[in-house]
Amino acid sequence: MNLQFSDRVSTLKGSAIREIFKYAADPQVISLAGGNPAPETFPNKELSDIAKELLENQPVLSLQYGITEGYAPLREQVKERLQRKENIDCEKNDVIIVSGGQQAIDLTTKIFVNEGDTVIVEEPSFIGALNCFRSYKANLAGVPMDENGMDIAALEETIKNSKNPKIIYTIPTFQNPSGITMTQQRRKELYEVARKYDLIIIEDNPYGELSFNGEHHATIKSIDTDGRVVYCGSFSKILAPGLRVGFMCAAPEITAKAAVAKQTSDVHTTMLPQLLASEYMKRYNIDEAIEKSRALYKEKCETMLKAIDEYFPEGVTRTNPTGGLFVWVTLPEKYDALEISKICAENKVVYVPGNTFMVDMDKKCSALRLNYSTMSNEKIIEGVKLLGEVFSKL
Amino acid sequence: MNLQFSDRVSTLKGSAIREIFKYAADPQVISLAGGNPAPETFPNKELSDIAKELLENQPVLSLQYGITEGYAPLREQVKERLQRKENIDCEKNDVIIVSGGQQAIDLTTKIFVNEGDTVIVEEPSFIGALNCFRSYKANLAGVPMDENGMDIAALEETIKNSKNPKIIYTIPTFQNPSGITMTQQRRKELYEVARKYDLIIIEDNPYGELSFNGEHHATIKSIDTDGRVVYCGSFSKILAPGLRVGFMCAAPEITAKAAVAKQTSDVHTTMLPQLLASEYMKRYNIDEAIEKSRALYKEKCETMLKAIDEYFPEGVTRTNPTGGLFVWVTLPEKYDALEISKICAENKVVYVPGNTFMVDMDKKCSALRLNYSTMSNEKIIEGVKLLGEVFSKL
């Protein structure tokens, strides 16, 4: 049979990161390509006891169909946390549980974006979000960033030049892949621009709690008086990603429509992981656990930044992350980080080339993403040193 | 903010069944409206021990990100089972793990159906599938059924009169909501029609293993020489639905594209439920457990059919399910099962009115779905008796 795929997916490719993972599977290769949280932060013993108890004593709750919006006590816990930690008005907004932060992006796109509408994105941005927008045949328009986040003048220019602009997608805090945090001033300006052009904002905040110095960056959602911000959060980076438990916080009309769309996608999010997240937060202080993750990532990041400053040749620049999992490195413009990644892979070190995170992935890009969350300090230093050797030879 | 939802979801409504569930929450109400498997079939003690062990001893496997296609050993176990029990050629086909059977339908629609393409469905059919097709702006065309399944002449006529027909969606065995099983002859004819018009077939088979007399109905996938059948299966009715573990078996080009689409939906299916399903099948004989479920549902179904024959007035007809969870009841044509359901709800018994399962939900429908899987035999008899009283008074 000659298969004819739909227009929306016919040119869609899997994340290029997966190709790199083939190299990363070699235990001799140092992978600075991943985006996984450090497994030593997973509270597996605690979850093990909770899982046993739940399945033993609450079989119907754990194993029967659940409701699409999610486990009610978990929704309340998330609301309480968003109110307390993020100053989000959870009287005016609702929370639904979704199958990882990715699904919050997917459902928001599905319910708002017609084929051909434009989604405005930071450039570089998260590949999973870019591919999601592409999978609904959205038109993508990239806005450049500097060390303070999205360039607001460029944002407004981009909106003006776009066909049916509908959504601005941003990861304002400890952005993936750049490690950049948007200033409070820019957040306010971005919100005002969204207001002026009547756009939805997707605020994707999976890393917000992973601040190295404990500094809190007020969310765009916390200044959302119009109900135009869809806030996407996740337990992936603060509990465990394999659980696939995320949440969407938005105006009730939005979460209601998203729930209708979710029903047709996967009926509801798996019960057991929802119950694990809920019960874990009842029994333990998740904030204390997050403190430990922060300290760990801070140390790893400092190790990497120090190694970069020591081993990378002049002309190579980097961002200065204050939280999250990534640092963005830019080679002089004439170099192609994709081509160089192949040389690096032969030298047993891998990263993700920057073109992966761009609207036009086929365009040459001299930047690349490095991750420090999963490797040991020794491996981080060794990996950066190997990269430095390749870069110096060019 | 004045929200503008996308065209694909602007008219999409949640399943009407949820409205009925509001009545069903009253413990005094007998619900014959559900579609849940019987919770006494869940092997919760076994899963409890497995979950504890997995989380304790395999924290990375259980809690870290997994691959989109699913946990490799589970994929192999599903393949082995499909080969052995369903005679599906798993050399030529691949299996990916998805977040419940619903996601297999969702991904297949996403990768094949352009907006405006037609999906041909049995009428009545599963509301979750109908809403999924609607959510991609597909055009729906219904084909009537008789006691032998889809009317094949009507199917061909419908295809000829449809705009861009793309997919035939069928639940050939113990259909939801009708309880009808398509004959082998019809399955072959359906396959030949799909071939003639070069259509994809979605064969949705969540209930196939729940045969009362152990009779096996050969799947359409087992005669699929062209690779045009996408087979959707699930652990929901043979293990536990709250786990949200399903699978898609199809030609490798199809599962590969579905995996790309899945990556943008939820990255991967939750690890722990995948591991639970895999480990459970390694340690225990799932077929023996299914035998017990079959015996249970057989008894419940017989109880319901006997009560129907005793308490329903003349002129009311029913199907004769030989497996699965549902029986379909048809009142004389002048009656509206939706209107009558309100009277029944006041009399403390609920069912799902037939219009819910139709392409045109606004059209009057004199049929209704009854479920026998979750209520006790006593409640089933009492519920049917209450319905009989309402029907007799009309």
Side-chain angles (χ1 to χ4, degrees), chain A residues 4 6-9 37 44 48-49 52 55 63 65 102 110-111 113-114 135 166 237 242 257 264, chain B residues 4 6-9 37 44 49 52 55 63-65 102 110-111 113-114 135 166 237 242 257 264:
Chain A
Q4 280 222 304
S6 64
D7 298 338
R8 68 174 80 82
V9 302
N44 68 300
S48 165
D49 290 337
K52 182 169 170 63
L55 285 163
L63 295 170
Y65 281 114
Q102 181 73 40
K110 187 161 187 177
I111 67 171
V113 178
N114 283 319
S135 82
K166 190 81 202 196
K237 309 303 185 295
K257 191 58 99 173
T264 72
Chain B
Q4 280 222 304
S6 65
D7 297 339
R8 67 173 81 81
V9 301
N44 69 301
D49 290 337
K52 181 169 172 62
L55 284 163
L63 295 171
Q64 189 55 284
Y65 280 115
Q102 180 76 38
K110 186 160 188 177
I111 68 172
V113 177
N114 283 320
S135 81
K166 191 82 204 197
K237 307 303 185 298
K257 192 57 99 173
T264 71

Side-chain angles (χ1 to χ4, degrees), chain B residues 195-208:
Chain B
R195 201 167 208 182
K196 183 170 170 189
Y197 296 93
D198 203 20
L199 306 181
I200 295 284
I201 297 168
I202 298 182
E203 180 176 27
D204 191 9
N205 194 21
Y207 312 106

Side-chain angles (χ1 to χ4, degrees), chain A residues 33-287:
Chain A
N36 290 1
E40 58 265 43
T41 65
F42 303 158
N44 68 300
K45 300 277 185 212
E46 293 86 339
L47 294 177
S48 165
D49 290 337
I50 297 171
K52 182 169 170 63
E53 278 180 46
L54 284 169
L55 285 163
E56 214 164 75
N57 305 326
Q58 309 237 50
V60 177
L61 185 63
S62 314
L63 295 170
Q64 188 58 282
Y65 281 114
I67 70 160
T68 305
E69 289 84 351
Y71 179 52
L74 180 60
R75 294 170 72 192
E76 287 309 313
Q77 285 167 298
V78 170
K79 275 189 190 175
E80 186 278 324
R81 219 160 174 269
L82 288 175
Q83 182 83 57
R84 176 166 50 86
K85 297 192 77 96
E86 305 296 349
N87 198 27
I88 293 174
D89 184 349
C90 286
E91 296 284 309
K92 283 195 187 148
N93 289 288
D94 199 9
V95 164
I96 60 170
I97 305 299
V98 293
S99 304
Q102 181 73 40
Q103 194 181 47
I105 302 168
D106 179 70
L107 295 175
T108 309
T109 314
K110 187 161 187 177
I111 67 171
F112 281 117
V113 178
N114 283 319
E115 298 191 350
D117 284 355
T118 299
V119 178
I120 320 274
V121 298
E122 289 157 345
E123 209 169 17
S125 188
F126 170 47
I127 172 80
L130 299 181
N131 275 345
C132 176
F133 304 137
R134 290 179 180 120
S135 82
Y136 288 99
K137 260 186 102 181
N139 176 39
L140 288 181
V143 176
M145 304 167 79
D146 59 26
E147 69 276 17
N148 295 319
M150 225 187 243
D151 177 333
I152 303 296
L155 168 65
E156 187 158 3
E157 208 50 42
T158 305
I159 293 168
K160 278 186 197 161
N161 295 323
S162 294
K163 193 186 140 207
N164 300 331
K166 190 81 202 196
I167 287 177
I168 304 170
Y169 172 75
T170 177
I171 309 171
T173 306
F174 317 137
Q175 202 236 18
N176 176 8
S178 72
I180 290 170
T181 295
M182 197 185 294
T183 59
Q184 286 303 315
Q185 181 59 29
R186 291 269 177 101
R187 291 175 195 224
K188 282 176 196 149
E189 288 167 12
L190 184 146
Y191 188 76
E192 287 309 317
V193 170
R195 201 167 208 183
K196 182 170 171 189
Y197 295 93
D198 203 20
L199 305 182
I200 294 285
I201 298 168
I202 299 181
E203 181 176 27
D204 191 9
N205 194 21
Y207 312 107
E209 304 214 49
L210 302 181
S211 165
F212 299 152
N213 52 16
E215 195 186 353
H216 180 257
H217 300 278
T219 60
I220 304 172
K221 184 69 192 164
S222 68
I223 55 165
D224 177 25
T225 44
D226 307 340
R228 66 175 68 255
V229 178
V230 179
Y231 181 90
C232 306
S234 170
F235 284 94
S236 291
K237 309 303 185 295
I238 58 170
L239 191 62
L243 295 177
R244 310 308 304 127
V245 180
F247 49 89
M248 174 195 289
C249 175
E253 307 91 292
I254 297 176
T255 53
K257 191 58 99 173
V260 170
K262 179 170 169 60
Q263 218 183 354
T264 72
S265 289
D266 62 1
V267 188
H268 66 83
T269 294
T270 316
M271 288 308 295
L272 191 57
Q274 292 191 67
L275 298 174
L276 287 174
S278 172
E279 202 56 35
Y280 177 81
M281 287 195 290
K282 266 189 221 159
R283 295 189 194 182
Y284 301 97
N285 186 338
I286 194 171
D287 293 322

